[in-house]
Amino acid sequence: MKYSKIKTGCIDGFKVENILVEIDVNSRSTQQTFKIVGMPSTSVLESEKRVTSAIRNTGFTIPNGSIVANLSPTSMRKDGSHFDLPIAVSLLEASGQIKELSDDYYIFGELGLNGEVRPVSGISLFLMYIKERNQQAKFIIPRGNQGESKFVEKNEVIVIDNLKDIENISLGILDEYSPKYEDIVQPSYNLDFREIKGQIFAKRGIEIAASGFHNVLMRGSPGSGKTMIAKRVPTILPDMTREEIIESTMIYSVAGYMNTIIDKRPFRSPHHTASTASIIGGGAVPKPGEISLAHNGVLFMDEFPEYRTDVIESLRQPLEDGEVTVTRAKSVANFPARFMLIASQNPCPCGYYGDKEIECTCSLNQILNYNRKISGPILDRIDIRIDVPRVKIDELMSKEDGESSEKIKERVSKASQIQIKRQNKLNGKLSNKELKKFAALTEKAEDFLKQAAINLKLTARSVNRVVRISRTIADTFDSKNVEISHVSEALNYRGRKII
């Protein structure tokens, strides 16, 4: 009887559970069998064929007798091809074909039939989550995933190309398996705000939104520049911090983007026919949706009322809490979803209600039904609403460029740093309790807001949104207190009433 155990992990939503791969070889058995137990999924059961072929094709042998691979704990369903390598290594240890590895190693990798070790999804999450809970942990991963390991110490990671490499590692030959990282190139964009002609009010609103990470709804006729403005928002957002890069990279890794480092603000623009599962996240084994892939960046939803009502309403929790809970029959997963929503819409189905040059052809009922698709609770969660009128021909044909993204970004970054220094987070991410602590409205500004709330019939959530925007506007002027002028400007970003 021969026994071996290897550590690995299994993803459960946006966390990792430690998994122990145990191999038991009973050489006295008269039958040659290989059984994987411990609630494996179909992809894990298929490991048997990949493991046996890889072992034979790399010069090792399959021991005679009955082989049992147990994935512990047995109460959790195991899914993923990354179990191939730990099963194979444990089997080689149990049969005495390689020396026993250190207990500190966690092993991940998919095997080809020829013994090639192929990249797998989730490596960033595996490494960061396990390292946070076990400082002594070391890792053996595919070379194709080496970029994702740059956030842990280099001497704690071994990258391999073939199952045969495990033999050298067991003998203590490690130098040639050290990861090699490419330098991160500073993010560059092909788009620039200088290309936007006119739209002074809209650009000012977007600058405020970027400064405090606020949600925005732009409303205007077709061709007024809403999409152009939205696509350039990432060019003025502050650079990502190391913590944000790690967090976003882990999300993309879980979603299946292998060896991808997210070092610039994500920009996601799902089509309006997208399902709720693709936007929020889901699947039999829950995966991140578009709102999580946009975490720390921008989610652009063009033609907002054209999305299904259930899709729009599903944004309520993420917009309020900055995370989403995906519930399935056998699992519950929480994914980060702190994104900046940029939504755009026409004022009516034909697009020209309120346009000064083209007459609207929609009936009153059509206009009302179109705008009812965006409910009051969703509108309350959108801090800034901007009307984007048609650009005048003189401005459109002007040869002068608008202000560059670089200059706007300087102001945005300065305002953001003021917020980080004061409260360690941006205004758009403050809870209501934190907002009350840091808003610092003057007595006159507070009285002015109270009167405005009565006249405009603002809800409690709307009042908080106005205070939040006012605080950001004050920060753009480097003002310690929120004055009447800041509240007045914030109220201008509530958008005009359609009917």
Side-chain angles (χ1 to χ4, degrees):
M1 193 78 72
K2 298 176 181 178
Y3 172 83
S4 176
K5 62 181 179 181
I6 290 291
K7 293 178 181 176
T8 186
C10 186
I11 292 175
D12 181 17
F14 198 61
K15 61 182 181 181
V16 173
E17 296 292 342
N18 288 336
I19 301 295
L20 195 62
V21 178
E22 301 174 293
I23 290 285
D24 177 83
V25 180
N26 184 0
S27 56
R28 296 178 182 177
S29 175
T30 57
Q31 290 184 328
Q32 179 72 56
T33 60
F34 193 147
K35 183 72 172 177
I36 299 176
V37 298
M39 205 182 286
S41 67
T42 302
S43 63
V44 179
L45 288 173
E46 291 171 348
S47 290
E48 175 199 336
K49 302 300 182 184
R50 293 192 293 269
V51 168
T52 53
S53 294
I55 286 176
R56 289 194 183 102
N57 289 326
T58 48
F60 298 112
T61 59
I62 301 295
N64 293 323
S66 173
I67 302 171
V68 178
N70 179 46
L71 309 181
S72 177
T74 57
S75 58
M76 178 183 179
R77 184 168 178 78
K78 320 302 185 305
D79 186 69
S81 59
H82 66 276
F83 287 103
D84 291 3
L85 187 57
I87 289 174
V89 172
S90 187
L91 181 54
L92 293 176
E93 271 193 8
S95 58
Q97 298 180 68
I98 62 171
K99 290 188 174 182
E100 189 174 332
L101 297 175
S102 167
D103 284 341
D104 293 332
Y105 280 118
Y106 288 78
I107 302 178
F108 308 89
E110 178 184 324
L111 288 174
L113 300 184
N114 61 350
E116 176 189 4
V117 179
R118 296 170 179 168
V120 293
S121 61
I123 287 296
S124 290
L125 183 63
F126 282 131
L127 270 57
M128 299 305 299
Y129 203 96
I130 291 171
K131 194 64 184 174
E132 187 177 322
R133 284 153 183 76
N134 180 3
Q135 293 298 314
Q136 306 303 316
K138 296 182 179 180
F139 307 94
I140 298 176
I141 64 173
R143 189 174 297 277
N145 288 117
Q146 65 179 346
E148 297 178 61
S149 69
K150 64 175 58 182
F151 302 117
V152 299
E153 293 296 327
K154 192 173 183 179
N155 60 2
E156 296 173 340
V157 179
I158 292 174
V159 294
I160 61 176
D161 298 291
N162 193 279
L163 180 59
K164 191 69 176 176
D165 297 335
I166 289 292
E167 186 174 17
N168 288 337
I169 293 169
S170 71
L171 296 172
I173 303 171
L174 305 178
D175 291 344
E176 59 187 280
Y177 304 108
S178 179
K180 297 179 177 61
Y181 304 133
E182 296 179 4
D183 293 334
I184 293 181
V185 179
Q186 283 299 106
S188 60
Y189 300 94
N190 296 322
L191 304 174
D192 198 291
F193 260 94
R194 71 172 72 246
E195 300 155 6
I196 306 292
K197 302 294 179 69
Q199 303 296 6
I200 303 300
F201 179 75
K203 287 192 284 189
R204 170 61 178 164
I206 288 294
E207 180 180 336
I208 293 168
S211 298
F213 214 71
H214 301 288
N215 302 317
V216 179
L217 173 63
M218 292 184 287
R219 184 188 290 129
S221 303
S224 57
K226 302 184 295 295
T227 302
M228 283 186 69
I229 292 172
K231 288 183 176 179
R232 285 156 179 77
V233 171
T235 68
I236 64 172
L237 290 174
D239 293 334
M240 294 181 76
T241 64
R242 186 176 188 274
E243 291 73 22
E244 288 175 330
I245 291 173
I246 293 172
E247 193 171 31
S248 291
T249 297
M250 289 194 296
I251 293 171
Y252 274 71
S253 184
V254 172
Y257 293 80
M258 300 179 194
N259 215 36
T260 302
I261 305 299
I262 308 302
D263 53 3
K264 65 179 182 179
R265 301 282 175 187
F267 181 86
R268 305 295 298 187
S269 181
H271 193 262
H272 64 262
T273 58
S275 66
T276 305
S278 66
I279 297 292
I280 299 300
V285 178
K287 295 281 180 152
E290 289 291 336
I291 62 172
S292 294
L293 294 175
H295 183 67
N296 293 321
V298 174
L299 177 70
F300 176 46
M301 300 183 77
D302 199 6
E303 306 296 345
F304 199 33
E306 297 296 337
Y307 287 83
R308 285 172 20 191
T309 302
D310 60 317
V311 171
I312 296 175
E313 292 302 312
S314 67
L315 296 174
R316 286 194 190 192
Q317 182 207 355
L319 287 174
E320 194 72 21
D321 301 334
E323 65 176 14
V324 61
T325 301
V326 180
T327 305
R328 291 296 179 265
K330 296 183 179 179
S331 62
V332 177
N334 290 309
F335 295 110
R338 181 69 69 182
F339 55 90
M340 180 179 173
L341 174 66
I342 305 290
S344 70
Q345 69 160 100
N346 297 328
C348 65
C350 80
Y352 295 103
Y353 179 77
D355 193 285
K356 295 180 179 179
E357 298 182 20
I358 301 178
E359 186 177 352
C360 174
T361 60
C362 302
S363 68
L364 179 60
N365 280 339
Q366 284 178 315
I367 297 172
L368 290 173
N369 290 334
Y370 183 76
N371 285 281
R372 279 196 192 109
K373 293 180 180 179
I374 305 175
S375 66
I378 292 294
L379 280 175
D380 268 353
R381 287 166 168 80
I382 297 177
D383 303 337
I384 295 178
R385 303 173 210 163
I386 305 171
D387 293 315
V388 186
R390 185 192 299 274
V391 180
K392 294 179 181 179
I393 190 64
D394 291 340
E395 292 177 321
L396 188 63
M397 301 302 292
S398 172
K399 295 182 180 179
E400 292 184 10
D401 288 332
E403 193 173 25
S404 70
S405 292
E406 185 179 0
K407 287 186 178 179
I408 299 174
K409 183 177 178 178
E410 286 179 9
R411 296 197 297 269
V412 168
S413 298
K414 183 179 178 181
S416 298
Q417 286 305 312
I418 291 172
Q419 297 164 46
I420 297 296
K421 186 177 180 180
R422 180 180 62 237
Q423 63 219 17
N424 204 32
K425 62 173 70 172
L426 298 178
N427 293 331
K429 300 178 181 181
L430 290 174
S431 66
N432 289 338
K433 184 178 179 180
E434 292 170 329
L435 183 64
K436 186 177 291 187
K437 178 180 178 182
F438 296 111
L441 271 73
T442 63
E443 187 175 342
K444 289 182 179 180
E446 193 170 320
D447 292 340
F448 178 77
L449 178 58
K450 286 178 182 177
Q451 191 60 48
I454 294 171
N455 294 339
L456 299 175
K457 297 180 173 59
L458 299 180
T459 65
R461 183 182 283 116
S462 295
V463 170
N464 283 333
R465 297 289 175 184
V466 172
V467 173
R468 206 181 301 271
I469 294 299
S470 302
R471 178 66 267 178
T472 300
I473 293 172
D475 291 331
T476 64
F477 290 106
D478 198 7
S479 173
K480 183 178 180 180
N481 296 318
V482 177
E483 308 286 349
I484 289 180
S485 60
H486 306 143
V487 176
S488 178
E489 184 178 359
L491 288 168
N492 286 330
Y493 298 115
R494 299 298 300 165
R496 65 182 174 87
K497 194 173 181 181
I498 291 293
I499 295 293

